[in-house]
Amino acid sequence: MRRDRLLAYALIAPSILFLAVIFLIPLGQTIALAFTRHGTFGLANFARMAGDLNFRNAVANTLGLVIVVVPLQLALALGMSMMLRHLKRGRELILWIWSIPLGVSDLAAGLVWLGILTEKGYLNTILYHLGVIHGPVSWLTYETPLALFIGILVAEIWRATAIIFVVLVAGTQLIPAEFEEAASVFGATAWQRFRRVTVPLLRPSIQTALILRTVLAFEAFAVVLAIGGQNFPVLLSQAYLWQDTNQDYGVAAAYAVLIMLITLAATLFYLVALRPRAGEVA
Amino acid sequence: MAELLIEGVAKSFGPVVALAEATLAIGDGEFVALLGPSGCGKTTLLRIVAGLEEANCGQVLIGGRDVSALPPRARGLAMVFQNYAVFPHMTVGENVAFGLAMARAPAARIAKQVARAASLMQIETLLGRYPAQLSGGQRQRVAVARALAVEPAVLLMDEPLSNLDALLRLEMRAELKAVLREAGTTTLYVTHDQTEAMGLADRVAVMHEGRIVQIAAPSDVYRRPASVFVGGFVGNPPMNFLRVAAVSGEVRLGALRLSAPMEEGGLLLGIRPEQLAVVETGGFLFRVAVAEPLGTHLLLTGETGGQRMRAVVPPDATVVAGAELLLAFDPAAIRWMDAASGRAIGAA
């Protein structure tokens, strides 16, 4: 009995050690780094971060991206999983095709969309042939913030909707068909079935997908950097800039801590906002 | 409340024929049970009536209106599902009110109907709870209350009692019968449990391999089965069938001389185990292989002339395995069956 218990801990130990060494210790160090400047403990790094010209832009861009992209992706993924649910044939093929972006790396996806949206890219070529534009037009500069934002939005939607989609597909498969059938027998229209039965029953999956996707959206980096560069600063690209270009690890760490706090707050928000009502779950 | 007419409804799933041309007329307020073993097509037929499954051909009429092309929600039905399908994210009250809320009924009417249905099913005290806080029997009650609350033209029930334990099932059966009689709702009830079908229904439609093989009052189905299948499926223990031969219009079984429905040839003699009585003289020889005392009666399994047979005798009889008895019966209780087709001879 005692030996069994020791064995269990022994088997768990490597993973704990692994996480501790490459996650918990660096996390502690990052936090320490963020609160230390020139050997003194305090908020100096945060003051430097907040005082930076690009800080407000980075915050606004990141929040704007999250606020627009996550609901859009949720709506799209819900629609996609509902369509898939009602398909009789070719389900696997379509599931597979819709999941392809999951297998594409962030940076590759960013470069693909850069190729489409850049001055002499595919989009402009098509627009030129259609007679909409008469020469190369730049969409991705700081002078065209809306076009730049939409470009990044489209790329993010293409790249990351599949994450929400696969979580929701897994969730819909757990809902017995009887609930939707009961709803339709009792007079619910397709929309009422969706609103009153399917979405509430999908709530745990929606919660998971939202947490996952929102955390990742706050950490948007490669796609944004590829398409927007420093024309579209976001929190993580600023952290990278301070670390890599400015060689100021303290401010970079402050950015990292800020991102962590924001994502923690978002996760907490979803956990509370989408919790089941008392008594709903046994 | 309305009459339900099913006309020539058939359904195949690919090469598999689930339902072969079913026709069934259910009167206003009548309770009909679709009875059959699993895979006989009874649930498919129910789902076609509900609109959850599309028939390959045929029509479904409710109150004289052809609803075949209508979606489930436009058919004026209610249904009780086998696994209840009580919405887990709604309270009992919200569940019972669901159909009325979907139809955007006025709040006062919803409140009144919910209260009435809840009181019929005795779940008034549970209205604020969630299904996860209820027992199986209570969820069952919620499912029935939800169906009754919409005052449907036709009520469909798909094996509603099959998930309850035996005692609860007995209780719910009696209660359902009383409640549905009071509500006077036209009901189509699917079950594989012959006791349920017999106990609840005004008429029983027995299904076998995608066909309705007999539609009759429970006592008729029991006493006058239309085929060997029905005689064997309805009744516990099932009807005995003995292969016998008619000679000059007569069948001899031991000392019994029975007038046969045909002059010459082989046929099956169907007789219910409880119609058999132990006699001192006359009768035919029955060798007991197993005697099971079941409290209300003694069930004997054995053989006569090399053919398997069961007999039910009073519980005080002292019979042991290996005993040889003389059995006899009233010839009027015989159900003659055609040996080749398995159908009743001269059946009405």
Side-chain angles (χ1 to χ4, degrees), chain A residues 113-151:
Chain A
W113 281 94
L114 183 66
I116 294 172
L117 300 173
T118 193
E119 241 171 278
K120 289 177 181 169
Y122 295 101
L123 177 71
N124 278 352
T125 308
I126 292 170
L127 291 180
Y128 178 76
H129 284 295
L130 289 175
V132 179
I133 55 173
H134 302 289
V137 180
S138 300
W139 304 109
L140 307 176
T141 68
Y142 67 94
E143 287 159 339
T144 53
L146 185 66
L148 178 58
F149 183 74
I150 291 173

Side-chain angles (χ1 to χ4, degrees), chain B:
Chain B
M1 274 162 274
E3 64 201 33
L4 169 64
L5 205 60
I6 299 164
E7 275 182 349
V9 167
K11 173 79 181 174
S12 303
F13 295 99
V16 182
V17 177
L19 197 61
E21 292 244 325
T23 294
L24 180 64
I26 303 175
D28 189 1
E30 195 183 12
F31 191 128
V32 169
L34 283 176
L35 173 66
S38 52
C40 73
K42 56 192 193 300
T43 295
T44 302
L45 181 55
L46 190 84
R47 289 173 61 82
I48 289 171
V49 173
L52 296 172
E53 208 79 68
E54 214 175 310
N56 298 130
C57 62
Q59 289 182 312
V60 176
L61 287 90
I62 295 174
R65 187 171 62 122
D66 184 355
V67 298
S68 313
L70 297 179
R73 64 187 168 82
R75 296 191 176 199
L77 300 163
M79 186 160 168
V80 178
F81 290 78
Q82 184 170 8
N83 298 315
Y84 318 138
V86 170
F87 303 122
H89 60 290
M90 297 182 194
T91 62
V92 169
E94 288 165 344
N95 264 288
V96 177
F98 186 81
L100 296 159
M102 290 303 105
R104 301 190 199 289
R109 177 154 171 259
I110 294 181
K112 191 175 133 238
Q113 308 256 105
V114 168
R116 193 187 61 100
S119 111
L120 271 175
M121 293 315 295
Q122 302 175 16
I123 51 168
E124 298 104 315
T125 56
L126 306 178
L127 289 175
R129 295 217 205 151
Y130 284 94
Q133 299 167 305
L134 305 180
S135 68
Q138 288 170 325
R139 276 180 226 179
Q140 168 66 50
R141 287 169 182 277
V142 175
V144 177
R146 177 174 66 180
L148 292 176
V150 297
E151 296 186 326
V154 172
L155 174 59
L156 305 176
M157 300 182 117
D158 185 9
E159 310 239 11
L161 303 183
S162 61
N163 284 347
L164 303 180
D165 61 61
L167 192 64
L168 205 53
R169 202 178 313 158
L170 192 71
E171 229 168 77
M172 273 304 283
R173 199 165 74 208
E175 208 177 313
L176 260 187
K177 183 159 188 168
V179 166
L180 292 177
R181 177 145 300 166
E182 191 181 323
T185 310
T186 310
T187 305
L188 185 58
Y189 186 103
V190 161
T191 180
H192 66 269
D193 181 335
Q194 40 128 349
T195 325
E196 236 168 66
M198 310 271 288
L200 285 169
D202 299 317
R203 281 190 302 151
V204 177
V206 185
M207 291 191 70
H208 181 44
E209 292 177 345
R211 291 174 192 282
I212 298 179
V213 289
Q214 186 169 17
I215 310 171
S219 58
D220 270 0
V221 170
Y222 187 77
R223 279 203 300 255
R224 300 165 50 76
S227 66
V228 171
F229 169 79
V230 177
F233 187 72
V234 176
N236 184 21
M239 194 175 232
N240 293 301
F241 291 102
L242 297 175
R243 284 186 308 278
V244 293
V247 179
S248 309
E250 200 178 66
V251 165
R252 290 187 178 202
L253 192 64
L256 302 177
R257 300 171 135 224
L258 310 160
S259 111
M262 61 201 284
E263 277 301 302
E264 307 285 332
L267 72 170
L268 294 172
L269 183 161
I271 185 79
R272 288 276 173 203
E274 66 274 18
Q275 297 290 341
L276 297 167
V278 180
V279 291
E280 294 296 322
T281 54
F284 60 94
L285 191 69
F286 173 68
R287 195 167 290 111
V288 179
V290 183
E292 298 168 76
L294 297 176
T296 55
H297 60 266
L298 189 61
L299 174 61
L300 307 177
T301 306
E303 51 96 13
T304 184
Q307 300 193 58
R308 184 188 177 83
M309 191 171 210
R310 289 193 187 85
V312 164
V313 297
D316 48 351
T318 48
V319 183
V320 290
E324 290 189 342
L325 306 171
L326 284 175
L327 297 179
F329 50 82
D330 176 2
I334 296 174
R335 191 69 172 154
W336 296 106
M337 300 278 172
D338 183 277
S341 70
R343 297 225 180 91
I345 296 171

